Amino acid sequence: MKRKFFPSRAGKAGLPPGSMVYVGEKELAEPLITVFDYTASDYREIIAESVEETFQFRDTLASTWINISRISEAGAVERIGNYFRIHPLTLEDILTQGQRPKIEDLEDYLFIILNMLSYDANNGGIREEQVSIVLGGNWLITFQEIEGDVFNAVRDRIRTGKGRIRKDGVDYLAYSLIDAVVDNYFIVMERLGEQLANIEVELMNNPGRDILHRIHTLRQQMLLLRRSVWPLREVVSRLSRNESELINDQTGIYFRDVYDHVIQVIDSAETYREMLSGILDTYLSSVSNRLNEIIRVLTIISTIFIPLTFISGVYGMNFRYMPELDVWWGYPAVWCVMVLIALLMIAYFRRKRWL
Amino acid sequence: MKRKFFPSRAGKAGLPPGSMVYVGEKELAEPLITVFDYTASDYREIIAESVEETFQFRDTLASTWINISRISEAGAVERIGNYFRIHPLTLEDILTQGQRPKIEDLEDYLFIILNMLSYDANNGGIREEQVSIVLGGNWLITFQEIEGDVFNAVRDRIRTGKGRIRKDGVDYLAYSLIDAVVDNYFIVMERLGEQLANIEVELMNNPGRDILHRIHTLRQQMLLLRRSVWPLREVVSRLSRNESELINDQTGIYFRDVYDHVIQVIDSAETYREMLSGILDTYLSSVSNRLNEIIRVLTIISTIFIPLTFISGVYGMNFRYMPELDVWWGYPAVWCVMVLIALLMIAYFRRKRWL
Amino acid sequence: MKRKFFPSRAGKAGLPPGSMVYVGEKELAEPLITVFDYTASDYREIIAESVEETFQFRDTLASTWINISRISEAGAVERIGNYFRIHPLTLEDILTQGQRPKIEDLEDYLFIILNMLSYDANNGGIREEQVSIVLGGNWLITFQEIEGDVFNAVRDRIRTGKGRIRKDGVDYLAYSLIDAVVDNYFIVMERLGEQLANIEVELMNNPGRDILHRIHTLRQQMLLLRRSVWPLREVVSRLSRNESELINDQTGIYFRDVYDHVIQVIDSAETYREMLSGILDTYLSSVSNRLNEIIRVLTIISTIFIPLTFISGVYGMNFRYMPELDVWWGYPAVWCVMVLIALLMIAYFRRKRWL
Amino acid sequence: MKRKFFPSRAGKAGLPPGSMVYVGEKELAEPLITVFDYTASDYREIIAESVEETFQFRDTLASTWINISRISEAGAVERIGNYFRIHPLTLEDILTQGQRPKIEDLEDYLFIILNMLSYDANNGGIREEQVSIVLGGNWLITFQEIEGDVFNAVRDRIRTGKGRIRKDGVDYLAYSLIDAVVDNYFIVMERLGEQLANIEVELMNNPGRDILHRIHTLRQQMLLLRRSVWPLREVVSRLSRNESELINDQTGIYFRDVYDHVIQVIDSAETYREMLSGILDTYLSSVSNRLNEIIRVLTIISTIFIPLTFISGVYGMNFRYMPELDVWWGYPAVWCVMVLIALLMIAYFRRKRWL
Amino acid sequence: MKRKFFPSRAGKAGLPPGSMVYVGEKELAEPLITVFDYTASDYREIIAESVEETFQFRDTLASTWINISRISEAGAVERIGNYFRIHPLTLEDILTQGQRPKIEDLEDYLFIILNMLSYDANNGGIREEQVSIVLGGNWLITFQEIEGDVFNAVRDRIRTGKGRIRKDGVDYLAYSLIDAVVDNYFIVMERLGEQLANIEVELMNNPGRDILHRIHTLRQQMLLLRRSVWPLREVVSRLSRNESELINDQTGIYFRDVYDHVIQVIDSAETYREMLSGILDTYLSSVSNRLNEIIRVLTIISTIFIPLTFISGVYGMNFRYMPELDVWWGYPAVWCVMVLIALLMIAYFRRKRWL
């Protein structure tokens, strides 16, 4: 997990608040702007060339969803922000990647920051991306760092008009987007759960050398997940408590449903954490046990043979006068003594239950 | 414990909310529908062929309990849900197995999710099953994944009319069902408690090889139990606080009684957890101690004999001019020296209290 | 501590609530019923043959204390319960041993469950007994599993009329009984504290083999104590907050005093716990240190003599052509080499600070 | 730390509440009673022979501070208590040493218990002494177990009239006394901090044998400190919230200042605790590391020489027909083989990075 | 980290509250006083020779910022404090270095204490400095122990009139200063994060000897950071809740922004802590594993060769009658036996998976 947890804000220290500077990994691509303008009966879908093209939709009666991907150009964000009367501090937050999920009620609009997580099958790691949602009266703007495909299902539902999405306002759209993000968390959880199960099975059989490394990596990923999902709970909780006028009463029950999902993710994450900690304990204990067994074998072999070797050494000495050497029963007698000693040792080990 | 903690929701990601898809382990069997329609003086018991047969009971004055087992067919749940005016999100929750216990007040009805736990004597594991209860004005519907026998005692009480069950409304029935589920927790706790006691006794005597594995398994089972029982506390607490109009004031005291039982289960679970953690600590310490003792024996034997063996080796050398070898007292003198060294070593070990 | 933490409720699963079945260790003895009926000026003390004898005292103006020991016969409890209008759920709680301390306000009476702890000097363990108190307007009934002597001091105070006990009502009597139970906790704490101090002293000197076992036992006893005393805090706190009409305002200050005592017990228990955990850490570290020292000695002796033994082995070989063997200075030269190697080794160990 | 944490209350079990019995270490000395009676312009200082001498000051208009040291005689406390209308339960608390800091508002007076800590330079331990403060309308009585010198600075300020102490009432005096006690905590903290720093420095250099013992002792002292200072926080917090009429609004800011000091002590204590825990972890790890290194050296020496010794043993055998022994290159060839084996071993260890 | 955590207050014990004594590391330098007096259209910047020069700005209509560095001279602080009617307890806090961040509302002014942290590139440690802010109606005084450059960016913004700083009042200035301090925390966090990443990478490759020392140091630095940042949260939270009249409603949103930053720092600090703890666990486990492997090699070599050496010792004995020695197949037979034993041993180790 060679991930930089916290993008550098150091370059910004000293700038006045609300400074429009992109803080993140710079990409050179142009921003990609898509607009959905829809009513219960109809919808339009546009790929805008510049942010200015989207301005016409602000004051239409239809619901408007503007999605801006690849936001590394600060100017575009600033221009659309000014037109839609978004506070400079909000724009600064949108441009600063690596933030904590939060919700802010600025009366004219709700500002929501989420972390979208996705499992990277290539290296088994988790990718994190910041999604900012600005929810106005009948328009909603989303800002994404890179272009993802999590929102495609929502786009399809607008296109086909399936479900309530076109009938309800942009608050239901906001719900749909957040729900799509949270649904993605379940996929990530599942992958982590599979890794956990694999580690547990391997632990019981024959733990390889890299199991410690894998436990460590999984643990750090859990930490990352927790960091995203705990503040999300507060965000969705406030949405479901229906405090803002921008959210309809009927939409409340949907946010409560998302809230349940978030709680379930948290619950699973905590359970995984404890299971992982249990696995680590068990692993360490089994390492100890193994060490114990190895040392026991060493001790048994050593303590049996060391005295015997000493005896054989004694009768290997070259003193001229060693009476034992000359009697005919010397050699068998020594053998008897040595076998006796070995048997006594073995009996001692048995009594100690080392054998 | 080869259990999948969290059933896959990945297949559902992207579907609109309220989609009627069964999420769980598919079974092919038909749903089993039983209906109890009872008053203080009388009762009817029906096994319905289809969900439509149950519709007639919605508007009777008698209390009605509809129990649906093997709910893997989404269509039946959807049809009965529509007739009894249950919100699509509720139906979705009923169909999605592996949820967290929760309670929702949707004004027309109360929706309760429980986890029924049962101890599987075959493999010593815990089985978990989701039970959903929808409590309306004078009807109550329960949804179970598989057909269990926990509710049989309640059925018998309805049949015999023993106790208050036929006299009171369906809120008392809801209490009876939840009480039956919680009573089952005590049985599971007891089995875990016995396992714990066995492990503790074995630990004090002669811990076998698999004790670590058993501690690990018991710990994961405790985790599973906690996951079910902690949110249950919140559920029963809200029921006992009597907030809904669907629950009579007189039934409140019964829910408080269940609440006490849940607290007691939680309390015991926490105590077990701490005991288990104490057992693990003690086990690890005793492993350490054992290792210590083994190494001490090895050290004593080795350090006594290694110098002696060296001496015997010296006089086993074949140098032509070794004056000690030729004197008559050489051999006994060497013996004396060796015994002396051994005694000094033993005295040293005694002073160090290793012997 | 061969104690069953949680008496089996499994036998009761499925019975309707309020079933009168004794759950505990069955004893065959008859219940022992004692009655105190007292006013400021006078008192009567009766040993009743049957529960029916006590019924006459319910409606007297004097304060009445009925104490029932050995409550294993469910019928007697049920009959007195019915006469004094005690709710079946309360009676069920009284009969079910091993419950959590709790308080319930049922308007007509207060129902209090306590755990009385006593230190068993024979096996150094803690005995736990459930005491149930039902506090009515001017009568108070206590239920005990076995007959103890903790309440004797209270009985003596009623007999002698010392203090306020006869002047105040049964709420003051309830206070006196709870105070007696809590005072007993101090005695248990003190015994545990002595054990803790003994272990600590022994740890600093020469820890015996069984110290680990004793630490473990003490820890489990602490757990048991906590289980009893934490919920007690809530019980006494509610009593001292004076919410019920059954408790006089003047008695409130006395309950606050008991509350302080309970807090002090909890505080000490937590401190003991942390001390015990510190002792365990220190013990484990000292075991590690000891192991270290033993291995150091083994290493020093082995690494000095192993090369020397090798050298002596070389010149013990029987090759025909070994020029060193035939020169007159061969033997002293080998000795010099061996002494030199030993000195170098010792110097190396000194530099490493192993010697 | 051969301290008895909790003085025995066992002797009191069974006595009615409010019994006047001294619980602590009995001393035979007479109580020492000093009285300060002061106004803004004047003051009197008296050493009273008996408690009765102090009674005259109760109803004077001047502020009166009565300090009673060596309170082991219960009678004197009881007499002064009765005259100043102090509740028997309060007197019982004053006489029972080893209590938890607390504050009680009994309308006529405020009752405060503090633990005064002092660092005992002789044995490096912490001494604990209970100070009870009874704050009436214009009188204040302090009870101390032994005679300390912490309050001397306050006495001097009364004598010289420096600061506001003589201008304000006894609530300001109470503040001054509590402030003096808390200031003393800083001194204790500093000594503990120095010990901690010494241990940390020693740990990095060459940890001696007793470092484990010293860490253990410091930890237990921290525990003791926490026990005193956490409840103190609640006490001072309530004083600074200005709830009692006995405390002037202007004095509130001073209590808030003390509150800040208490928070700072708690904060430091928690930081020390975590540092100590980090030191213990580091110590244990360094012990592990050391063990590792010792065993590595042992292993290297042993595994190099054991095979060599075996070879030399083989050619030390006395078989008649051993062709290697008779060829002239036998001896140098064996040497070559042995050197080769040693080099291979060393190469292996290098690859494993053990060398 | 040879830092004294808590500057000695011992020298102050016994002094009356509000005593003007500097508690910190005395420096001999003169205090450095700079004044900014600004309106939206204009500004003056003065370096004052003495505190008295600043008095003229108190009653101007323009916003005034007085910054006093090197405050080791108590007299200057006292004189300016008296003129601006600052409470003696506040002045005492300003002069006492090493305090906990806090905020106090004294009606006429807000008093804020912050800890400015800076990363010392020379020794890789964190430097901590106390900054006190006194916020009056249209003046603001900052007190710093030493002269830093964190506020230079704010000074430049006043000089250039960029942003809102000259248009808004001193509450916005207070925000700017606190924001500058918090922005500095991000720089410190980043440095710690880099250290953490370095340690983690090194851990996975080849941990050096000093890694334990570095983990320990980083841990203690985290502790230091936490101590500063947790209370800061409370401070900024209270500022953002807009309770004081000295803070405009429009400035509230800016303080909420700082609050978010503080939360983010805390969040990162907690994550770092857990990661560090995970790293330590993994390090310890890998040390264990290494030990295991070393001992395994030792055991394999020893247990193979010890019996062989014994056999060779047996036939090295000098008994006269040893029939095996005289037969011609004796020597090859012994070799066969020894090879056989070695192979059996290796097979045993393979079965045990030690090889």
Side-chain angles (χ1 to χ4, degrees), chain D residues 6-202:
Chain D
F6 310 101
S8 172
R9 305 180 78 120
K12 282 191 60 181
L15 290 184
S19 302
M20 298 298 132
V21 178
Y22 174 74
V23 177
E25 291 172 42
K26 276 267 186 316
E27 285 184 67
L28 292 172
E30 282 283 290
L32 176 72
I33 305 165
T34 60
V35 184
F36 274 87
D37 194 61
Y38 60 91
T39 59
S41 56
D42 200 10
Y43 84 99
R44 281 174 66 193
E45 181 176 1
I46 292 165
I47 295 181
E49 296 283 305
S50 70
V51 291
E52 280 73 13
E53 263 186 71
T54 67
F55 290 175
Q56 50 175 309
F57 297 104
R58 191 185 65 183
D59 302 315
T60 59
L61 289 177
S63 299
T64 306
W65 170 25
I66 303 168
N67 182 62
I68 303 182
S69 304
R70 305 187 226 135
I71 55 164
S72 54
E73 199 214 334
V77 173
E78 193 176 1
R79 289 198 304 279
I80 197 169
N82 289 341
Y83 188 80
F84 281 83
R85 298 187 199 99
I86 301 174
H87 195 283
L89 285 176
T90 303
L91 296 178
E92 197 186 357
D93 280 343
I94 290 169
L95 284 165
T96 309
Q97 300 301 311
Q99 302 221 61
R100 222 170 160 263
K102 69 170 174 179
I103 182 167
E104 274 184 290
D105 188 344
L106 288 103
E107 302 200 6
D108 288 339
Y109 60 89
L110 279 179
F111 174 49
I112 301 163
I113 293 185
L114 304 175
N115 279 337
M116 193 184 309
L117 295 187
S118 53
Y119 188 83
D120 192 338
N122 294 329
N123 60 3
I126 298 178
R127 275 222 339 261
E128 198 182 17
E129 186 202 350
Q130 176 170 322
V131 177
S132 309
I133 299 176
V134 181
L135 171 63
N138 64 344
W139 49 265
L140 179 150
I141 315 180
T142 48
F143 299 88
Q144 285 178 280
E145 200 172 2
I146 54 165
E147 200 192 338
D149 50 4
V150 169
F151 292 159
N152 282 347
V154 179
R155 285 190 191 98
D156 281 344
R157 261 146 65 196
I158 297 179
R159 287 181 193 123
T160 59
K162 225 164 60 176
R164 306 179 43 174
I165 198 158
R166 288 233 306 257
K167 295 179 200 87
D168 286 12
V170 285
D171 54 339
Y172 189 89
L173 177 62
Y175 151 73
S176 303
L177 296 171
I178 295 172
D179 192 47
V181 168
V182 172
D183 270 359
N184 229 35
Y185 279 34
F186 281 101
I187 302 177
V188 171
M189 287 304 298
E190 233 166 279
R191 292 296 161 275
L192 294 182
E194 282 163 14
Q195 285 187 33
L196 189 69
N198 288 343
I199 288 175
E200 194 168 16
V201 168
E202 195 178 324

Side-chain angles (χ1 to χ4, degrees), chain E residues 87-132:
Chain E
H87 195 283
L89 285 175
T90 303
L91 296 178
E92 196 186 356
D93 280 343
I94 290 168
L95 284 164
T96 308
Q97 301 301 310
Q99 302 220 62
R100 223 171 160 261
K102 69 170 174 179
I103 182 167
E104 274 184 289
D105 187 344
L106 288 102
E107 301 200 5
D108 288 339
Y109 60 90
L110 279 179
F111 174 49
I112 301 163
I113 293 185
L114 305 175
N115 279 338
M116 193 185 306
L117 295 187
S118 53
Y119 188 83
D120 193 337
N122 294 329
N123 60 4
I126 298 178
R127 275 220 340 259
E128 197 182 17
E129 186 201 351
Q130 175 170 323
V131 177
S132 309

Side-chain angles (χ1 to χ4, degrees), chain B residues 13 27 54 90 97 99 114 141 166 168 175 199 228 319 331:
Chain B
E27 286 183 68
T54 67
T90 303
Q97 301 301 312
Q99 301 221 63
L114 303 175
I141 315 179
R166 288 235 306 259
D168 285 14
Y175 150 73
I199 289 175
S228 294
F319 285 102
Y331 181 55

